[in-house]
Amino acid sequence: MYTAKTGDFSHSTKTTNCKGKVVAQLAIVQMKRIHIVALQTDRKAILERIQRWETVEVRWVEKEDGHLSKMDTSRQTAVFERGIQTAKSALDILDEKAAEKKELFAPRRQVDEQQYRRSAERWKEYLGVAQDILASVKEAEEHRAAAVKLEAQIETLRPWERLDVPMKEKGSSHAAVMIGTLPGEETPESIREKLPGLPEETYLEVVSSSREQTCLFVISYRPQAERTESLLRTIGFARPGWSLSHLTCRDKIERLAGQIKEHREKAEQCERFVVEHREDRRKLEFLFDYLTMRREKYEVLERLGLTDHVFVLEGYAPAKAAQKMAAVLEKQYGAYVEVLEPDDPEDVPKAFQNGPFVSPVEGVTASYSMPGPDDLDPNPVMAFFYYLLFGMMLSDAGYGLLISIFTGYVGFFSKAERRTKNTMRMYFYCGLSTVFWGALYGSWFGNAVGAIAEHFLGSSFAILPIWFDPSQDPMTLLVFSIAVGIVHILLGLGVKFYNLCRLGKPLDAVFDAGFWMLAIAGLSVMAVGMVALPGTVLGNVGIGVAIVGFFGLLCTQGRDKKSIFGKIIGGVMSLYDITGFFSDILSYSRLMALGLTTGIIATTINTLGTLPGKGILGAIAFAVIFLAGHAMNLAINMLGAYVHCNRLHYVEFFKQFYEGGGKPFTPFAANTQYIRLKEEQQND
C-alpha cells in the first residue's frame, strides 16, 4: 500500500528518472497524471483494487465529443448515506446504553479479505439490526412520553380525589349535579355571601381549595339548576376542561397509575432489548465503514467516463506507485494505462515524504497550507526549530520528562494508528527539547527539589541551572530569544534564496533575499558590537554589512518599474519593510514570556504546597497541591507552547519563503473509522 512516507507500495527511498539514472527523492512526492482505460466488466474489481492501494486521486473525466457518458449515482449515494446515519445513530445509542471500555489510542480492528467478504454479504442484515435498535429506542421514548402524559392527567385529578362520585355524574330526575371550579380560595359561606340570590336548597361542597382555585360540587333542584349555574358563572364557575370519567377520581387515578406502570415496564423492556444488542457492536461498526466505502466508491463512479464496453479513469498518483500500479492493471486486467507528466503544475496535488525526525511536523504544515507549485517542502527546515522553540516556551525538565515518556511509548511502542503515532512522536521530540531547556534553566517542576529538601528535610540541596535562572536574569533570556528569532528569520530568507536559485532566478535570489539577509545580519552584528562588545571593530563591521544590504535594496527593489523615477521610489519604499522585520523579530519575545511563565507558576505551586506545614498532613497536602497544580500548569502551558510555536512558524517564518496554496493529495481510499483492511501481499 502506498504511503507518503515511502512513496511506493514497498519501502524504497529512491526513485529513477526517465533515463534510468538514480536521483534522490524530494521531500514533496513527485506526482504523475494517470489515464486508465479498461473493460466495464473489470470496473468493480479495478476500483476496489485502487481503493485498497490508496494511490490515486481520481479526477473528473471530461466528455469528449459526446463519446463518453456519465453515471448519475446520487440515488445510490443517498441510500448509503441514510444507512451510514442509521448505523452511526445505533452505535451512539449503544455507547450511551451499553458502553464498552475502550483502550486509549487503540488501533482500528483489522479485517482480512475473507472476513470482509463474508460480512459484506450480510450488510443488509446488519442494517436491520441498526433499525431494530432505533425502533426500540423510539418505542421506549413513546412509552415514556405516554407515561408523562398520564402523570399530568393524575396531577389534574388530584384536587378531585376526595369526590366519591363519578366526574360524569349528572344527578337524577329531581336533582341536578354540577361539578366545576371557582377562581381563588372559597368556602360555601363565602360563595353564598357573593350570591345572595342563590336558592337556599342548593347544596354546596368544597372538594378541595387552594390559592389558585376551588373545586366545587353542587346539587340543585332540577327546575332551579339553570338559574343556579348562571349565578355561579357570575363569580367564575367553570366546568372542567378535560374529559370527564364514569369512574370516581380515586378509581381513575388508580387506573392511570396502572397504565403508567405498564408503559414504564414496556420502556424498560425496550431498553433491555437495546442492551442485548451490545454484542452486535462489531456488526454495526462494519456496516458504518462498509457503507462509507461504498458511498465513496459511487462518488468516484460519477467522475468516470463511460461507454457501452469500457470506462475511463483519470487522476494523479505518486510516480513510482503509478508505474507499479500500471504494471499490475495491465497484467491482470488487460487495461490500457498511461503515466504522463502533469499538464498544469498548479493542479497537481501535494503530499510529503520525510524521515522519522521530520515527518511528525508534516501535519502542522498541512494545517497551514500545502506547498504551491514553486515551493519547497518546508518541513525539513522547520522541524528542528519547531522542537527547539516548543521546548524554550515550555522550559521545564520535569514536564518534558513526563511528555517524552508518555508520548514516546505511544509513538514508538504502542499499536496506535500511524497518524496518532506521528502526532505523539512530534510531542516526544518537543518533550526532549523541553528537558534540554529546563535543565539549562534549572527548572524541574519549578524548584520542587529544593522546596521539598528545605521544607521537609531541612536541607539546602537544590538542582542548579546549567546555564542561568531566567527568573533571576530575564533580560538575558529576552536577548537570547531575540537572537533565536533573528537566526530563524535569516534561515527563512536563506530558504527563499536557495529556492529562487533552484528555479533559475539567481539574481532575484540576491536582490530579494540576499540583500535583506545582509541588512538584518549587519544590524544584528552592529547591535552586538555596540551593546555587548563596545569599542571593538564588530560594530563597524555590522554597519558596513548593513549599508551594503540597504544600498543593494535601494538599487534593486524598484527594478520592475518602467521609469527611473519609479525605480528610485520603489527602492526607497522597500526600505520601509525593515519595520516589518523588526516586528517579526520582536514577536520572538514570547519565547521569554512563556518560558518565564511556566517556571514562575511552577515555583508558586511548590510554595503553596509548603504552606499547610510539615508532618504527615503537610506532606499529604503538599502532594495534593503539587499534583493538581502541576497538572493544570502543564496542560495550560503545553497548549500555549503549541499555539505560539505554530504562530511563530505560520506568521513570522513561513512568510519569508513559503507561498502555499497547494492542493492536498486525497487519494481514493478506504477511509474507515472502525475497521482496517489487512494489506494484501504485493506479489504481482
Side-chain angles (χ1 to χ4, degrees), residues 74 335 562:
S74 57
K562 295 182 178 180

Side-chain angles (χ1 to χ4, degrees), residues 507-527:
L507 291 179
D508 288 345
V510 174
F511 299 157
D512 296 334
F515 287 141
W516 276 118
M517 293 172 69
L518 289 175
I520 294 172
L523 291 176
S524 303
V525 172
M526 180 186 71

Side-chain angles (χ1 to χ4, degrees), residues 128-295:
V129 171
Q131 291 170 340
D132 288 343
I133 291 174
L134 296 184
S136 296
V137 170
K138 182 179 179 182
E139 185 179 349
E141 291 174 349
E142 290 173 349
H143 283 301
R144 289 196 192 92
V148 170
K149 186 175 181 180
L150 294 176
E151 287 174 343
Q153 290 184 30
I154 289 178
E155 291 303 315
T156 304
L157 293 173
R158 288 291 183 195
W160 300 95
E161 196 170 3
R162 288 179 51 247
L163 187 64
D164 55 0
V165 298
M167 295 294 290
K168 272 189 174 182
E169 182 64 47
K170 300 294 184 181
S172 64
S173 58
H174 300 288
V177 172
M178 289 169 278
I179 298 173
T181 60
L182 288 172
E185 189 172 2
E186 301 286 355
T187 64
E189 293 75 15
S190 66
I191 295 172
R192 290 187 182 278
E193 289 178 2
K194 293 180 179 180
L195 301 174
L198 191 68
E200 289 292 334
E201 299 82 0
T202 304
Y203 173 75
L204 301 175
E205 180 183 342
V206 173
V207 180
S208 67
S209 64
S210 65
R211 188 178 299 174
E212 289 77 23
Q213 70 171 10
T214 297
C215 296
L216 189 64
F217 177 75
V218 182
I219 301 177
S220 173
Y221 285 118
R222 191 163 291 281
Q224 300 173 345
E226 185 175 346
R227 178 170 173 268
T228 298
E229 184 169 0
S230 296
L231 287 171
L232 289 171
R233 287 187 182 280
T234 62
I235 59 173
F237 181 79
R239 301 276 189 170
W242 31 270
S243 77
L244 304 178
S245 172
H246 64 283
L247 300 173
T248 65
C249 284
R250 185 174 289 110
D251 292 339
K252 182 68 173 179
I253 288 173
E254 290 178 357
R255 176 174 291 188
L256 292 177
Q259 293 176 2
I260 290 172
K261 182 180 179 181
E262 184 179 345
H263 279 299
R264 286 177 174 167
E265 288 176 350
K266 289 181 178 179
E268 290 176 359
Q269 289 177 2
C270 293
E271 294 283 353
R272 288 194 295 271
F273 178 79
V274 171
V275 173
E276 289 171 359
H277 276 293
R278 62 177 174 268
E279 302 299 328
D280 294 323
R281 187 188 303 272
R282 300 292 174 262
K283 296 178 181 178
L284 299 178
E285 290 174 348
F286 177 86
L287 175 67
F288 179 87
D289 284 340
Y290 173 73
L291 293 180
T292 299
M293 293 169 62
R294 292 201 66 183
R295 180 194 61 190

Side-chain angles (χ1 to χ4, degrees), residues 584-597:
D584 293 341
I585 292 170
L586 288 175
S587 293
Y588 287 82
S589 61
R590 70 188 69 239
L591 298 175
M592 176 204 70
L594 271 73
L596 276 176
T597 300

Side-chain angles (χ1 to χ4, degrees), residues 319-382:
K320 288 195 69 177
Q323 295 292 347
K324 195 159 190 176
M325 181 175 58
V328 172
L329 296 181
E330 288 174 351
K331 178 181 177 181
Q332 292 197 356
Y333 304 103
Y336 171 75
V337 183
E338 280 188 303
V339 179
L340 308 168
E341 290 295 332
D343 296 329
D344 183 4
E346 294 187 359
D347 187 52
V348 179
K350 298 293 192 300
F352 298 125
Q353 54 179 17
N354 290 289
F357 183 76
V358 175
S359 60
V361 300
E362 290 176 351
V364 176
T365 302
S367 298
Y368 176 77
S369 182
M370 295 300 286
D374 296 331
D375 283 329
L376 289 169
D377 178 7
N379 294 299
V381 294
M382 166 188 164

Side-chain angles (χ1 to χ4, degrees), residues 391-434:
M392 284 188 69
M393 286 186 275
L394 193 54
S395 69
D396 185 279
Y399 294 169
L401 278 177
L402 292 180
I403 294 171
S404 295
I405 292 171
F406 175 74
T407 59
Y409 170 75
V410 177
F412 293 97
F413 302 107
S414 73
K415 296 180 180 179
E417 297 282 344
R418 185 164 61 90
R419 182 176 298 178
T420 301
K421 282 190 170 186
N422 236 20
T423 301
M424 291 297 106
R425 288 173 184 176
M426 182 188 80
Y427 285 113
F428 171 75
Y429 294 126
C430 289
L432 293 182
S433 175
T434 303

Side-chain angles (χ1 to χ4, degrees), residues 465-523:
I466 296 175
W467 187 14
F468 72 99
D469 183 354
S471 63
Q472 301 298 321
D473 190 5
M475 285 306 300
T476 298
L477 182 57
L478 176 60
V479 172
F480 181 72
S481 299
I482 297 298
V484 170
I486 292 172
V487 173
H488 201 211
I489 288 176
L490 287 175
L491 175 63
L493 290 171
V495 175
K496 180 178 182 179
F497 185 95
Y498 169 77
N499 195 36
L500 288 171
C501 290
R502 182 181 68 89
L503 296 173
K505 302 176 181 178
L507 291 179
D508 288 345
V510 174
F511 299 157
D512 296 334
F515 287 141
W516 276 118
M517 293 172 69
L518 289 175
I520 294 172
L523 291 176

